[in-house]
């Protein structure tokens, strides 16, 4: 995309910055950018803030000047500029911020507001820090240089997409200053699998399944394959798919339209819409092929789905085994450094040759975050000690250590989520016993330290293994029993029920595999079953929609709830829905149940039960079965295929 096609929104207070704004607008326009600013809005219907935010949403980037004053406070409790920043961050639009020195006559309240604003902004600027005392004359050249660099790197010119090249998808993990868990360091012990996946990239095979346990190095392997492919112009390029982000037709349109490409679903078992997104990609370009990685326990769900969707029998698979002893020790020596080389064998043993545990454990020891004596513990105890030490990061304020952890625990349970919502911040403030401003500061600090990663407007805890650890430690006590943490998250963050169910169900799924604790969702499943008789058809349909992600990890519970709904079709009438003209028909519920059963039915343990329920639903449906893909007869036909 050329510079002339890039739209930049200029955001700042106006009084005192008139000449600076004029210079920025002039220089950007001269450089070929399409500039949007309040000076150019003209007379438009609607409230001024609505006009500003509407224009901002059309932009590719925002130039934000913080200071010299905070500006007039809106009824929402923040200034125009602050509202514009939150809108940009929520929409995934890059922000290029610069701090201007405060006016000398500001009172303490306004000065505190500016500082809080600057702190919140610091987590999403293109560069790591804000210039604290730039002269007004230097601002416009700085802006031009920042935009030019971002454009050359591909960070501006198009919005966040679900599909990203490896350098964007892994950007936060490809620098040495990133957290302990990153993709720096030697790539060892995966040469055979690297050759197999590279051969697939060059072949015409439609799909490849990569089976690997957590922390075994599948993401690093896929990264190395993508880097290698990028160096060969005639080789199909790899596009990585965020496992949590929602997608649209606009995202699909960003993929190559005719040329071959590889779409990678890392942790594909976490996408309940895996079949839908692949179907959309195939309709867009039938030359696109797919790599799907998943945990071994999810193969029974993922394999039938991919085989049926792509018409492939005997799906090609690659297993990622443990590292060899020799390769594991080489990796351990690298991360332990010269001082602690003697502990390499012990580290490999306690890490069970798992590359992730070796990497993090070795760095923790070499950086004196963990004493070598920790290697004498059990593998599980060592892993917990190491992951706890991750949070002892110099970038995090020690005085807020408990609050940092509490915020991360909550987001591990309810994420990925939008963190700009004022109601969400208030809920988080109540949980952490802090005020709203402190919560926003801590969120910014955690994002700047890369414990929170942003994909468009969604924020999640990073790395995944830390999120898993935090959720486990919060949800399960030392005796292996639920603490009630998940129940509290459901009560306090009901709008995030879908995420909570999915995250907690995956925790239960992993625990069952390892003979772990009693289900942390036991009470929630019971409460949902008791809630069903009170819900209208619309309420039931909305609840079933929230079960779809959890169905991958807790099919038995979701089938049980679905069975009750199929056997009790009579639902209470919600008179308000009728007054508002909202759909409360049984057909909507049937569509929702059919979709979930179609997903679970690919699992051999549940095929018969799901087929029986689909048959019962189909028997009630009148009219042709091709009216939509969620018709029970359509799902039965697909299941038979």
């Amino acid at each position: 995309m050329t510079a002339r096609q890039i739209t930049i929104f200029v955001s700042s207070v106006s009084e005192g910055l008139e000449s600076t704004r004029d210079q920025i607008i002039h220089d950007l326009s001269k450089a070929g950018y399409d500039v949007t600013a309040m000076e150019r809005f003209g007379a438009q219907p609607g409230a001024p803030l609505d006009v500003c935010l509407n224009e901002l949403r059309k932009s590719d980037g925002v130039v934000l000047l913080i200071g010299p004053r905070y500006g007039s406070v809106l009824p929402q409790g923040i200034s125009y500029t602050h509202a514009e920043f939150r809108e940009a961050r929520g929409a995934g639009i890059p922000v290029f911020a610069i701090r201007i020195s405060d006016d000398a006559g500001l009172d303490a309240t306004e000065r505190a507001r500016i500082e809080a604003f600057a702190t919140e902004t610091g987590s999403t600027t293109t560069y790591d820090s804000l210039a604290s005392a730039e002269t007004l004359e230097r601002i416009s050249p700085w802006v031009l240089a920042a935009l030019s660099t971002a454009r050359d790197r591909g960070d501006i010119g198009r919005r966040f997409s679900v599909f990203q090249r490896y350098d964007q998808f892994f950007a936060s993990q490809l620098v040495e200053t990133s957290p302990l868990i990153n993709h720096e360091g030697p790539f060892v012990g995966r040469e055979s699998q690297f050759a197999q996946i590279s051969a697939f990239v060059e072949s015409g095979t439609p799909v490849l399944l990569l089976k690997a346990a957590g922390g075994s190095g599948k993401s690093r392997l896929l990264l190395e394959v993508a880097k290698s492919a990028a160096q060969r112009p005639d080789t199909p390029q790899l596009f990585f798919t965020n496992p949590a982000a929602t997608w649209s037709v606009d995202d699909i349109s960003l993929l190559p339209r005719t040329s071959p490409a590889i779409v990678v679903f890392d942790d594909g078992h976490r996408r309940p819409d895996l079949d839908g997104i692949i179907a959309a990609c195939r309709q867009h370009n039938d030359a696109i092929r797919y790599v799907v990685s998943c945990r071994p326990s999810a193969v029974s769900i993922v394999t039938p789905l991919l085989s049926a969707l792509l018409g492939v029998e005997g799906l090609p698979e690659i297993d990622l085994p443990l590292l060899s002893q020799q390769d594991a020790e080489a990796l351990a020596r690298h991360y332990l450094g010269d001082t602690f080389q003697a502990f390499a064998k012990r580290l490999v043993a306690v890490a069970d040759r798992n590359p992730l545990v070796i990497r993090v454990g070795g760095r923790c020891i070499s950086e004196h975050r963990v004493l070598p004596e920790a290697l004498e513990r059990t593998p599980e105890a060592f892993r917990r000690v190491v992951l706890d030490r991750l949070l002892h990061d110099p970038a995090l304020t020690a005085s807020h250590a408990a609050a940092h952890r509490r915020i991360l625990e909550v987001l591990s349970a309810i994420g990925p989520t939008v963190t700009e919502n004022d109601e969400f911040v208030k809920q988080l403030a109540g949980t952490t016993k802090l005020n709203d401003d402190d919560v926003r500061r801590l969120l910014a600090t955690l994002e700047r330290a890369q414990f929170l990663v942003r994909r468009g407007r969604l924020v999640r805890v990073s790395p995944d293994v830390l999120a898993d650890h935090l959720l486990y430690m919060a949800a399960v006590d030392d005796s292996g029993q639920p603490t009630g943490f998940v129940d509290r998250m459901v009560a306090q963050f009901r709008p995030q029920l879908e995420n909570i169910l999915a995250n907690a169900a995956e925790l239960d799924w992993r625990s069952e595999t390892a003979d772990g604790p009693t289900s942390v969702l036991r009470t929630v499943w019971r409460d949902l079953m008791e809630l069903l008789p009170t819900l209208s058809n619309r309420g039931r349909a909305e609840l079933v929609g929230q079960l779809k992600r959890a169905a991958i990890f807790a099919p038995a519970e979701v089938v049980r709830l679905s069975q009750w709904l199929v056997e009790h079709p009579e639902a209470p009438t919600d008179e308000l829905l009728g007054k508002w003209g909202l759909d409360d028909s049984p057909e909507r519920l049937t569509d929702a149940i059919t979709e979930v059963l179609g997903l679970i039915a690919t699992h051999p343990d549940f095929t018969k039960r799901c087929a029986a329920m689909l048959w019962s639903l189909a028997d009630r449906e009148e009219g042709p079965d091709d009216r939509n893909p969620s018709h029970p007869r359509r799902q039965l036909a697909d299941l038979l295929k």
Side-chain angles (χ1 to χ4, degrees):
M1 183 175 286
T2 63
R4 189 168 299 280
Q5 297 172 293
I6 297 177
T7 300
I8 300 298
F9 185 94
V10 179
S11 175
S12 75
V13 296
S14 56
E15 185 179 348
L17 290 179
E18 293 90 347
S19 60
T20 302
R21 290 178 60 89
D22 288 344
Q23 187 66 51
I24 291 173
I25 293 170
H26 174 271
D27 290 348
L28 289 178
S29 299
K30 187 177 179 180
Y33 293 96
D34 179 17
V35 183
T36 302
M38 69 179 83
E39 294 87 340
R40 299 187 171 190
F41 289 168
Q44 296 189 34
L49 179 62
D50 292 337
V51 172
C52 287
L53 298 185
N54 183 57
E55 294 296 328
L56 182 146
R57 294 183 199 105
K58 303 174 186 176
S59 67
D60 299 295
V62 174
V63 171
L64 173 65
L65 309 182
I66 302 175
R69 295 176 299 102
Y70 182 68
S72 301
V73 177
L74 295 161
Q76 292 90 329
I78 57 177
S79 68
Y80 274 91
T81 308
H82 204 155
E84 289 165 357
F85 164 71
R86 288 186 181 173
E87 185 70 20
R89 185 165 73 169
I93 299 173
V95 176
F96 304 83
I98 189 167
R99 180 76 161 88
I100 297 173
S101 299
D102 297 341
D103 281 344
L106 294 185
D107 60 31
T109 299
E110 187 164 7
R111 200 177 298 278
R113 282 175 172 162
I114 294 179
E115 288 305 315
F117 182 19
T119 300
E120 182 180 338
T121 309
S123 62
T124 55
T125 53
T126 299
Y127 295 98
D128 292 335
S129 61
L130 300 174
S132 58
E134 292 284 349
T135 61
L136 298 183
E137 292 79 10
R138 292 181 57 192
I139 290 178
S140 187
W142 183 91
V143 168
L144 283 171
L147 291 176
S148 177
T149 300
R151 187 182 64 231
D152 293 343
R153 290 193 317 208
D155 292 342
I156 191 172
R158 66 177 179 85
R159 304 289 180 81
F160 168 82
S161 172
V162 175
F163 306 103
Q164 296 184 332
R165 299 293 183 97
Y166 77 89
D167 52 345
Q168 291 179 302
F169 188 80
F170 294 106
S172 64
Q173 298 175 313
L174 292 177
V175 291
E176 293 182 358
T177 56
S178 62
L180 288 175
I181 299 179
N182 57 38
H183 291 303
E184 292 300 304
F187 176 65
V188 298
R190 303 302 188 199
E191 292 78 11
S192 173
Q193 292 80 17
F194 175 87
Q196 289 177 275
I197 300 177
S198 297
F200 163 80
V201 171
E202 300 282 2
S203 73
T205 306
V207 63
L208 176 68
L209 184 64
L210 174 63
K211 299 185 296 182
S216 58
K218 58 180 170 33
S219 296
R220 177 63 186 275
L221 172 60
L222 292 169
L223 167 63
E224 295 300 324
V225 172
K227 288 167 63 175
S228 175
Q231 296 171 5
R232 304 192 300 277
D234 296 333
T235 299
Q237 298 303 295
L238 279 68
F239 295 86
F240 288 79
T241 310
N242 182 8
T246 56
W247 58 278
S248 67
V249 174
D250 291 337
D251 294 303
I252 302 292
S253 66
L254 294 174
L255 292 169
R257 185 163 294 279
T258 56
S259 58
I262 309 292
V263 171
V264 179
F265 296 94
D266 197 7
D267 285 334
H269 58 278
R270 294 187 174 182
R271 289 212 71 107
D273 59 349
L274 183 63
D275 54 346
I277 194 170
I278 290 179
C281 289
R282 295 185 72 196
Q283 187 174 11
H284 172 75
N285 177 5
D286 59 10
I288 294 177
R289 295 178 291 122
Y290 310 92
V291 173
V292 180
S293 76
C294 71
R295 304 283 175 88
S297 301
V299 170
S300 59
I301 294 177
V302 174
T303 298
L305 186 149
L306 292 175
S307 297
L309 184 64
L310 298 172
V312 178
E313 295 184 8
L315 200 69
E317 300 177 355
I318 295 178
D319 285 293
L320 203 58
L322 292 174
L323 289 175
S324 69
Q325 184 70 22
Q326 181 180 357
D327 290 330
E329 288 184 18
L331 197 65
R333 286 193 295 271
H334 172 82
Y335 288 109
L336 285 168
D338 295 338
T339 305
F340 298 98
Q341 293 278 306
F343 295 101
K345 285 185 179 295
R346 181 57 191 155
L347 174 58
V348 168
V350 77
D352 195 23
R353 289 187 280 164
N354 182 288
L356 179 66
V357 181
I358 291 173
R359 180 187 303 121
V360 179
R363 284 191 60 182
C364 279
I365 291 172
S366 69
E367 295 174 10
H368 305 284
R369 301 191 189 202
V370 173
L371 294 174
E373 286 78 4
L375 294 171
E376 301 304 319
R377 303 190 180 195
T378 65
E380 185 59 33
F382 177 73
R383 185 183 296 238
R384 291 183 183 180
V385 167
V386 166
L387 291 174
D388 276 336
R389 292 301 185 274
L390 278 178
L391 300 179
H392 297 176
D393 192 286
L396 302 182
T397 307
S399 60
H400 286 115
H404 283 134
R405 185 182 184 103
R406 192 61 174 173
I407 288 174
L408 290 173
E409 287 174 349
V410 171
L411 289 173
S412 295
I414 71 173
T417 189
V418 177
T419 57
E420 285 74 39
N421 183 283
D422 288 338
E423 183 61 30
F424 168 77
V425 171
K426 288 184 181 300
Q427 290 175 310
L428 201 52
T431 300
T432 55
K433 310 302 182 189
L434 298 170
N435 59 47
D436 294 5
D437 290 343
D438 284 334
V439 167
R440 292 190 185 280
R441 289 192 186 95
L442 294 180
L443 286 169
T445 300
L446 288 167
E447 193 171 339
R448 191 162 50 246
Q450 298 182 38
F451 287 103
L452 295 178
V453 171
R454 182 176 297 276
R455 301 282 193 192
R457 65 183 306 163
L458 294 175
V459 173
R460 64 178 178 83
V461 176
S462 178
D464 289 340
V465 68
L466 177 61
D468 294 344
H469 169 72
L470 288 168
L471 180 55
Y472 180 87
M473 297 302 291
V476 179
D477 65 20
D478 291 340
S479 63
Q481 295 299 312
T483 62
F485 173 75
V486 171
D487 300 335
R488 290 195 296 275
M489 292 299 98
V490 171
Q492 294 175 17
F493 297 93
R494 188 70 183 206
Q496 279 80 32
L497 178 62
E498 179 180 4
N499 290 342
I500 298 171
L501 290 176
N503 294 330
E506 185 174 2
L507 173 62
D508 280 343
W509 175 57
R510 290 194 306 269
S511 299
E512 287 173 1
T513 304
D515 295 325
T518 304
S519 168
V520 299
L521 280 173
R522 177 184 53 191
T523 303
V524 176
W525 293 129
R526 183 201 65 200
D527 292 345
L528 291 178
M529 180 63 78
E530 293 176 354
L531 179 66
L532 289 180
T534 70
L535 297 177
S536 66
N537 282 314
R538 185 182 182 89
R540 293 178 179 186
E542 290 175 351
L543 177 59
V544 172
Q546 293 174 314
L547 296 174
K548 189 173 180 183
R549 286 182 58 208
I552 298 176
F553 306 106
E557 296 294 343
V558 176
V559 165
R560 188 167 64 90
L561 293 170
S562 300
Q563 183 92 45
W564 190 94
L565 290 171
V566 171
E567 294 175 352
H568 300 81
E570 298 298 326
T573 301
D574 190 328
E575 295 181 359
L576 285 177
L577 293 176
K579 291 181 180 179
W580 294 336
L582 297 176
D583 179 20
D584 193 33
S585 65
E587 288 77 14
R588 177 173 178 174
L589 175 58
T590 297
D591 288 347
I593 297 176
T594 299
E595 190 174 0
V596 169
L597 292 179
L599 172 68
I600 301 175
T602 60
H603 193 301
D605 292 346
F606 300 96
T607 302
K608 289 184 178 180
R609 287 182 65 185
C610 290
M613 282 187 277
L614 287 170
W615 185 268
S616 178
L617 291 172
D619 193 47
R620 300 175 196 168
E621 290 290 292
E622 298 179 358
D625 59 7
D626 59 351
R627 63 184 180 90
N628 64 59
S630 296
H631 193 286
R633 281 193 287 272
R634 286 281 297 275
Q635 287 287 353
L636 280 169
D638 291 341
L639 186 59
L640 286 172
K641 291 179 183 178

